[in-house]
């Protein structure tokens, strides 16, 4: 499997297919009647698929990417230019955001942010 691929292994997809068949059988059992024996057969098939998924290590198919820096909002130059055009006082090189993706405070000291 290629590095960074979202494809997954064939054994994982077989387990997912078994669970899907069980879900469909259980759903048909509820719609057609309800037919409780068909529903419970579907539940059993889905459970077998879940056990098979854990047995083949389906959770090891997760792709973890390297952490990238994500920039929220416009670049500092664009913010400073837009605010300067509107007649507002600007601090070059700083932008204010509501919050960073990790819940940290925006860049800058607390006094500057509090005084707005």
């Amino acid at each position: 499997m290629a590095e960074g691929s979202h494809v997954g292994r064939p054994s994982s997809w077989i387990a997912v297919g078994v669970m899907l068949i069980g879900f469909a059988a259980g759903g048909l059992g509820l719609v057609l009647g309800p037919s409780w024996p068909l529903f419970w057969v579907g539940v059993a098939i889905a459970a077998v698929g879940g056990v098979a998924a854990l047995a083949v290590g389906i959770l090891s198919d997760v792709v973890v990417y390297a952490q990238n820096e994500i920039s929220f909002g416009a670049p500092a130059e664009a913010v400073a230019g837009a605010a300067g055009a509107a007649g507002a006082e600007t601090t070059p090189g700083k932008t204010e955001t509501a919050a960073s993706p990790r819940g940290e405070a925006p860049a800058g000291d607390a006094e500057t942010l509090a005084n707005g």
Side-chain angles (χ1 to χ4, degrees):
M1 181 169 58
E3 184 66 29
S5 173
H6 290 290
V7 176
R9 293 173 296 159
S11 58
S12 299
W13 281 109
I14 291 170
V16 168
V18 170
M19 289 186 284
L20 185 62
I21 290 169
F23 181 78
L28 282 174
L30 287 176
V31 171
L32 300 175
S35 172
W36 294 112
L38 181 58
F39 170 77
W40 288 111
V41 166
V43 169
I45 292 171
V48 167
V51 171
L54 292 175
V56 299
I58 195 169
L59 296 178
S60 66
D61 286 350
V62 174
V63 177
V64 179
Y65 291 106
Q67 182 177 359
N68 294 327
E69 286 298 318
I70 300 173
S71 175
F72 289 94
E77 297 81 24
V79 171
E89 185 178 326
T90 63
T91 305
K94 290 188 178 181
T95 59
E96 293 184 23
T97 58
S100 69
R102 296 181 199 97
E104 301 165 353
D109 60 13
E111 184 178 326
T112 302
L113 293 175
N115 295 332

